Amino acid sequence: MFKFLNSKYRHILSRHNLPYAGTVVASAPKNNITSVVIPSAGADYIEEACLCAEFADKFATPLQEIVIVTDQDASLFRSLPEKVRIVTLNPDTKSGDYRYKQIYLSRLIKLLAPLQAKTDGILMIDSDLNLLKMPEIQLHENHIYSSFRQGKMIAKLDGCDPQIIPAYYKDSVRPYIVDHVNGAFLAATRKTWERLCPLWIMFFRDTWNILPDNQPPTDQLPLAAMLDTLDIKTVNLGDWMNWPVSKKIGGTPSVIPKEVIGAHGGFPLSEWQKYLASPDNELLFKGQDYTRKVRYLTDVEKQKAEPDA
């Protein structure tokens, strides 16, 4: 009952969901983002990653590099802009009869992806998030910059045997807070990523090697606990950085608002070609229930599903 009425809770809360404007230093450079990293696992997500890279190249022109990090061979990707390079990784996924091996692998690729960038200002975006403008973010060490969403990450452990839940969740704070970092858009300095990624990978592997396979493995539950453990400040960039397309305009022909910087989701991909032709074109995307139906399937369900662009 009194878990959060303590100094640790107050300390974490004071460093959590900070308004971006309050972190800006007038004498420092306005923007430090130089690399965009796009994790992508599976042959069926190659075109999505290519489109994401194409958007970043067209609309975020100050970038020095765009890096697609994948488990697929580079030869399978179509011709891409000069700034784009492809890094192929082969991390071990889960063995045995685990139901979500493909999703597990895709999360590991994501957790390894930021370290493949060559510059010091690294933004990682999911492959279904298209940049419509250059994100201007002033980065500071031991800060991570994102947008936030609603929902306690600790709810992922509901129904689990309390005896098997890793101790770092029982002693954490951020997994219990309703506002949590949205892992689809994460920016940090190279030094900060070098601190984050090893522990994030360890917590991810440990969590989903222990818990039952009754749900897709998420990277955001271990992310919340890892940020606590390393005492990282989390900074809120606002909704325009990570704007949920299907939730906002799915099912209705609409023009993307000019304020949007990062547009998250939006299927079918062919509608995005209309945006490339003109940002003033009306686009008709599927509703918000589509993503969960086709992107969080067990391996068996995925094999049976009909391909849908």
Side-chain angles (χ1 to χ4, degrees):
M1 178 178 178
F2 299 106
K3 178 181 178 69
F4 295 142
L5 301 179
N6 58 49
S7 59
K8 180 179 179 181
Y9 175 72
R10 293 192 300 272
H11 174 77
I12 293 295
L13 202 63
S14 72
R15 301 165 69 80
H16 177 74
N17 199 357
L18 304 176
Y20 173 70
T23 69
V24 174
V25 176
S27 60
K30 183 178 180 181
N31 176 47
N32 304 120
I33 298 296
T34 45
S35 293
V36 160
V37 175
I38 304 164
S40 173
D44 44 345
Y45 293 113
I46 287 177
E47 182 52 36
E48 181 176 282
C50 289
L51 183 67
C52 182
E54 195 174 12
F55 266 81
D57 182 74
K58 181 171 182 176
F59 295 108
T61 54
L63 292 170
Q64 293 180 26
E65 63 169 4
I66 300 162
V67 189
I68 297 174
V69 183
T70 178
D71 63 333
Q72 303 295 302
D73 191 88
S75 64
L76 299 175
F77 288 73
R78 60 178 169 82
S79 178
L80 290 166
E82 186 177 350
K83 284 184 185 177
V84 182
R85 62 184 175 89
I86 297 167
V87 176
T88 301
L89 303 178
N90 295 290
D92 292 332
T93 189
K94 286 198 67 168
S95 59
D97 297 326
Y98 189 69
R99 300 168 70 221
Y100 293 103
K101 288 184 181 181
Q102 180 60 31
I103 294 178
Y104 186 98
L105 175 61
S106 73
R107 301 299 184 255
L108 277 181
I109 293 285
K110 177 176 180 177
L111 274 51
L112 290 161
L115 301 181
Q116 312 311 311
K118 292 182 177 178
T119 75
D120 291 331
I122 303 166
L123 167 62
M124 178 169 68
I125 56 176
D126 282 359
S127 60
D128 64 338
L129 192 152
N130 292 326
L131 294 179
L132 310 186
K133 294 180 182 178
M134 176 66 193
E136 293 191 346
I137 308 169
Q138 186 184 96
L139 302 175
H140 301 287
E141 302 293 356
N142 298 317
H143 290 57
I144 194 164
Y145 299 78
S146 184
S147 58
F148 280 66
R149 62 196 305 181
Q150 298 285 302
K152 294 182 180 180
M153 281 291 98
I154 203 65
K156 298 287 184 183
L157 302 183
D158 287 350
C160 293
D161 180 354
Q163 299 300 316
I164 68 170
I165 295 175
Y168 44 84
Y169 290 119
K170 299 172 187 176
D171 296 332
S172 64
V173 174
R174 282 189 174 100
Y176 294 84
I177 299 175
V178 173
D179 295 322
H180 67 273
V181 168
N182 190 329
F185 185 111
L186 297 170
T189 64
R190 168 174 289 281
K191 286 183 179 178
T192 302
W193 279 120
E194 288 172 347
R195 292 190 67 211
L196 298 178
C197 290
L199 192 61
W200 194 4
I201 293 167
M202 187 179 77
F203 279 11
F204 174 83
R205 286 189 180 275
D206 189 53
T207 298
W208 299 108
N209 287 350
I210 291 174
L211 299 184
D213 62 351
N214 59 358
Q215 60 180 307
T218 172
D219 53 87
Q220 297 198 134
L221 172 61
L223 170 62
M226 177 271 291
L227 293 171
D228 261 21
T229 301
L230 294 179
D231 198 17
I232 300 294
K233 290 184 178 181
T234 53
V235 181
N236 193 339
L237 297 170
D239 294 340
W240 296 122
M241 284 286 186
N242 185 352
W243 195 74
V245 174
S246 297
K247 179 179 179 180
K248 295 291 187 179
I249 60 171
T252 304
S254 305
V255 175
I256 301 283
K258 301 303 181 186
E259 297 88 348
V260 174
I261 298 170
H264 191 186
F267 303 96
L269 297 181
S270 56
E271 287 298 290
W272 283 115
Q273 297 298 330
K274 298 177 184 177
Y275 189 96
L276 287 173
S278 172
D280 295 322
N281 281 332
E282 283 192 341
L283 311 178
L284 179 57
F285 293 113
K286 295 178 182 292
Q288 60 179 320
D289 60 339
Y290 172 80
T291 298
R292 184 155 292 279
K293 284 183 178 179
V294 303
R295 296 174 75 89
Y296 299 101
L297 305 175
T298 66
D299 294 343
V300 171
E301 290 168 339
K302 191 173 181 63
Q303 290 172 4
K304 294 179 179 178
E306 291 292 329
D308 191 339

